[in-house]
Amino acid sequence: MNLTSIRLITDDVDRLVEFYETVTGVVAARPAPVFAEFRTETGTFAIASSATVAMLGDAAPKPGPDGSIVVEFMVADVDAEFDRIRPAIDDVVLAPTTMPWGNRSALFRDPDGTLVNLFSRPLS
């Protein structure tokens, strides 16, 4: 079994796609107006409209933060990436900081309130 994708559900696909295109520097694949994918060598990060899960009724995932998800992107230089995307971030949770376990991290919220972590691992 291989993890292949993580998907965020939103009421505003265009807004989140624009945000994550800024964060990743990658143009999302848009096979439909209600769906987008950021494909990487290690997996796919997808964004989908709440309309795509409406058939699940009350069991459908809801847009917005639930407090249990952190979208994480490993980068070579946290400080440089954070500086590059800082104008697009409305809610900085943690400016670039070296964590006690050695990772360098910057945390912020996307437009729907989901926590995003840019991090790099210490050099061995």
Side-chain angles (χ1 to χ4, degrees):
M1 180 183 304
N2 292 310
L3 176 66
T4 58
S5 179
I6 299 293
R7 182 178 355 158
L8 291 182
I9 302 299
T10 184
D11 286 329
D12 192 338
V13 173
D14 293 336
R15 178 183 66 171
L16 271 193
V17 167
E18 181 180 339
F19 179 80
Y20 282 103
E21 284 179 341
T22 299
V23 170
T24 64
V26 173
V27 175
R30 297 290 300 264
V34 295
F35 188 77
E37 290 181 320
F38 295 87
R39 298 180 188 127
T40 74
E41 293 178 16
T42 57
T44 299
F45 175 61
I47 297 170
S49 167
S50 52
T52 65
V53 293
M55 70 186 90
L56 300 176
D58 290 341
K62 308 287 186 273
D66 73 355
S68 67
I69 296 171
V70 180
V71 176
E72 297 188 302
F73 296 101
M74 187 164 56
V75 299
D77 185 333
V78 171
D79 296 79
E81 291 297 321
F82 183 78
D83 288 344
R84 179 184 64 80
I85 64 173
R86 179 64 186 97
I89 301 170
D90 290 332
D91 186 358
V92 174
V93 176
L94 179 71
T97 301
T98 300
M99 307 306 278
W101 50 91
N103 282 6
R104 184 96 175 137
S105 292
L107 288 101
F108 51 91
R109 295 197 182 277
D110 75 14
D112 279 357
T114 301
L115 196 58
V116 180
N117 180 24
L118 300 183
F119 76 97
S120 61
R121 293 193 172 117
L123 300 175
S124 303

